[in-house]
Amino acid sequence: MTEKQLPGIVNGAVPGEPAKQDENSRRGNWGNQIEFILTSVGYAVGLGNVWRFPYLCYRNGGGAFMLPYFIMLVFCGIPLFFLELSFGQFASQGCLGVWKISPMFKGVGYGMMVVSTYIGIYYNVVICISFYYFFMSMTDVLPWTYCNNPWNTPACVGVMDAANRTFANATSGLAAVAVEGVTAVVNRTKRTSPSEEYWKHYVLNISDDIGNFGEVRLPLLGCLALSWVVVFLCLIKGVKSSGK
């Protein structure tokens, strides 16, 4: 039997309405399940979890901090994360369009967009710094391991400098040099590491006052531009490129 169609309706399309298209051809789709899982992990876990979380855990009680953390993770973090993924998959909309289901909450979508914009701006700075240290580490001797640099201050105390001084004076009173070095370190009121001074005085070149803006650090500007290019290449084709 042939299926009858009402006049004016072709393949289920009503005249005057835009023709229906396949959702995957319009919006793209994940290449496989691994891409979706890795993208979700990258969305939930960032550099802050690697370098910030251990510090916060240590500062707030160490092992005792883990108990409330896991409680909130199980009863709040994971359910909300699963709810967000499920809601987005069900509606197949962005953070602005998804709240058409309840216009009263459309402000939540705008808030999500603003927060994502702020995170993208400051997080690209973190990626920029990562690129900078990656390029600067391609040397025989890392520049932040010793204090004999133009940007170092007299308060700089480095392990490499103390070791070299001790080795150079090993033949002339090793014990006296060691005691003198330890006494100088203990009596020093303000000590900074070469890595800290490299970060403050060379990488950032921090000015002495908030009213003094200083100069643009061209190496950091180039690394920041590179980080934005990487983000653009990841998002240029939606999930088809971000999944890769």
Side-chain angles (χ1 to χ4, degrees):
M1 294 179 63
T2 58
E3 184 178 356
K4 296 182 179 180
Q5 295 183 349
L6 297 177
I9 299 179
V10 180
N11 294 330
V14 179
E17 291 186 355
K20 296 182 179 179
Q21 298 179 358
D22 182 39
E23 179 182 350
N24 292 339
S25 62
R26 289 189 299 108
R27 302 181 67 250
N29 201 359
W30 304 103
N32 49 60
Q33 295 180 353
I34 299 298
E35 289 186 3
F36 171 73
I37 293 175
L38 292 179
T39 304
S40 300
V41 172
Y43 167 71
V45 180
L47 290 175
N49 300 92
V50 178
W51 69 357
R52 184 70 175 171
F53 178 77
Y55 166 74
L56 292 177
C57 181
Y58 168 78
R59 184 178 180 182
N60 293 277
F65 174 77
M66 301 300 295
L67 180 60
Y69 173 80
F70 279 112
I71 292 177
M72 293 300 298
L73 179 66
V74 173
F75 292 99
C76 184
I78 294 179
L80 287 176
F81 182 72
F82 179 73
L83 175 64
E84 184 177 358
L85 290 180
S86 302
F87 195 16
Q89 184 181 18
F90 171 77
S92 296
Q93 297 285 336
C95 62
L96 298 180
V98 73
W99 292 107
K100 293 178 181 178
I101 191 173
S102 180
M104 181 176 63
F105 294 101
K106 64 181 180 180
V108 177
Y110 288 103
M112 295 171 63
M113 182 184 66
V114 171
V115 170
S116 298
T117 302
Y118 288 159
I119 292 177
I121 292 174
Y122 92 82
Y123 220 88
N124 268 4
V125 176
V126 178
I127 299 176
C128 156
I129 296 170
S130 301
F131 276 130
Y132 179 85
Y133 271 88
F134 173 74
F135 294 137
M136 295 303 296
S137 64
M138 296 180 181
T139 56
D140 296 334
V141 180
L142 299 178
W144 54 83
T145 55
Y146 53 91
C147 293
N148 298 327
N149 296 291
W151 59 83
N152 291 126
T153 63
C156 179
V157 177
V159 177
M160 294 292 295
D161 300 298
N164 293 334
R165 184 174 64 252
T166 303
F167 179 78
N169 296 277
T171 57
S172 60
L174 178 60
V177 172
V179 172
E180 181 183 356
V182 172
T183 304
V185 171
V186 172
N187 293 335
R188 195 184 299 269
T189 57
K190 182 181 179 181
R191 302 186 304 273
T192 55
S193 63
S195 58
E196 181 181 357
E197 293 196 351
Y198 177 80
W199 164 248
K200 290 183 177 180
H201 303 317
Y202 184 78
V203 179
L204 298 181
N205 194 13
I206 298 178
S207 61
D208 54 355
D209 186 76
I210 192 174
N212 182 13
F213 292 102
E215 59 183 8
V216 177
R217 296 280 290 118
L218 294 180
L220 289 180
L221 181 62
C223 292
L224 182 61
L226 177 61
S227 64
W228 278 108
V229 170
V230 171
V231 172
F232 172 76
L233 295 178
C234 290
L235 301 179
I236 187 172
K237 292 185 178 180
V239 295
K240 287 187 175 299
S241 58
S242 64
K244 302 296 187 298

